[in-house]
Amino acid sequence: PSTSFLPSPSCSRSKSHFCFIALPALFKQELENTEAEEGGTTTLRCELTKPSAPVEWRKGDVTLYPGLKYEMKQQGCAAELVIHDLEPDDS
């Protein structure tokens, strides 16, 4: 498998140590608008260029956390946000 690492220009190297920086994960498939009924459940999906890249779900400036309302799933390059008990404020 190929690795997405590049040497960092700000790192010094010696015979036994190398510094690397990872390329950022990008969106292969961005979120799309979806319609759902009030009180129902909807799933938002995106696909990243790197598997298991850390994902933070946000609504505006607010970070979302797993609980009764939100469920986060991630498998490989695919990340999903499930929103339960939809309300007009969820739009």
Side-chain angles (χ1 to χ4, degrees):
S2 66
T3 357
S4 301
F5 289 96
L6 296 175
S8 172
S10 64
C11 290
S12 64
R13 62 182 180 195
S14 69
K15 291 181 183 178
S16 60
H17 292 88
F18 284 93
C19 248
F20 292 95
I21 55 169
L23 293 174
L26 303 173
F27 287 105
K28 264 174 97 171
Q29 176 188 350
E30 295 195 22
L31 293 175
E32 295 181 7
N33 289 335
T34 184
E35 291 186 22
E37 290 186 24
E38 188 173 347
T41 298
T42 193
T43 301
L44 301 175
R45 294 179 182 88
C46 65
E47 188 176 348
L48 306 168
T49 55
K50 294 172 88 173
S52 303
V55 172
E56 180 180 82
W57 290 95
R58 301 176 67 104
K59 181 181 178 199
D61 293 333
V62 177
T63 301
L64 305 178
Y65 296 98
L68 295 175
K69 179 80 173 172
Y70 303 111
E71 181 182 352
M72 288 80 169
K73 300 177 183 180
Q74 192 167 356
Q75 183 173 355
C77 292
E80 295 183 345
L81 171 66
V82 181
I83 307 172
H84 301 281
D85 195 23
L86 290 167
E87 303 170 19
D89 286 345
D90 292 320
S91 61

